[in-house]
Amino acid sequence: MQTPAPSRAERALRITLGLTALLIAYLGVDNALGGIASLGLQGPTDFFTVTNPRAFEIRDSHVRFLGGIWLGVAFVFMSAAVRFRPMRQAVATVCGLIFVGGLARFSAMNLGALAAHGLAPALLAELVLLPILGVWAFRTQPAPSAQAPAHAVPA
């Protein structure tokens, strides 16, 4: 039995997921491999001075971990771009988690810094675009599988 072709909406969603995965992987590599200083893919790396090497190593490790999380998010999105049906709910969930992370930025209580330091594109993505992507993924009905469900009774 031949697998039905995905709808136009599903194809557009898959392309969007693939492109989003590439962008998130780019950001993840910058922090996973570069730590706090980063690899410089998002701008200058000379923005701090280490005054406590032990504390720096711990914080640097945390940033590398978070960069690895971004790489995992990119993997989820790329997997969904290739095989949408089994990854649909995971995409919606990850988009919700990113929204919560965007809200966490406001805990710094310095709204001026959020706007002044070039964070507006990140906030737009985290609080608007990725939630829209998550709802789009959740609402898009994947193309039916070529195989009947295990509980289906043959006619």
Side-chain angles (χ1 to χ4, degrees):
M1 179 180 229
Q2 188 176 9
T3 303
S7 67
R8 176 177 279 160
E10 185 180 332
R11 280 193 305 272
L13 176 60
R14 287 176 177 222
I15 290 167
T16 302
L17 287 167
L19 294 173
T20 303
L22 293 174
L23 176 62
I24 291 174
Y26 177 85
L27 299 173
V29 164
D30 195 26
N31 292 123
L33 301 181
I36 290 175
S38 79
L39 297 175
L41 302 178
Q42 298 176 66
T45 61
D46 59 349
F47 55 88
F48 68 95
T49 301
V50 176
T51 58
N52 182 335
R54 177 145 168 70
F56 172 78
E57 290 169 0
I58 293 168
R59 299 292 185 250
D60 186 67
S61 178
H62 289 318
V63 170
R64 290 173 189 274
F65 170 80
L66 293 172
I69 295 291
W70 274 120
L71 289 173
V73 168
F75 178 75
V76 168
F77 283 9
M78 191 56 74
S79 297
V82 175
R83 292 190 39 135
F84 178 65
R85 179 182 275 275
M87 299 302 293
R88 184 172 144 238
Q89 289 182 339
V91 168
T93 301
V94 167
C95 287
L97 293 171
I98 292 169
F99 176 78
V100 171
L103 289 177
R105 290 185 186 271
F106 292 99
S107 69
M109 304 303 284
N110 187 350
L111 301 181
L114 291 178
H117 297 301
L119 289 172
L123 282 171
L124 176 67
E126 295 159 359
L127 299 178
V128 179
L129 300 178
L130 281 154
I132 289 171
L133 182 62
V135 170
W136 185 14
F138 189 76
R139 294 188 67 180
T140 299
Q141 293 300 316
S145 175
Q147 297 178 320
H151 64 278
V153 178

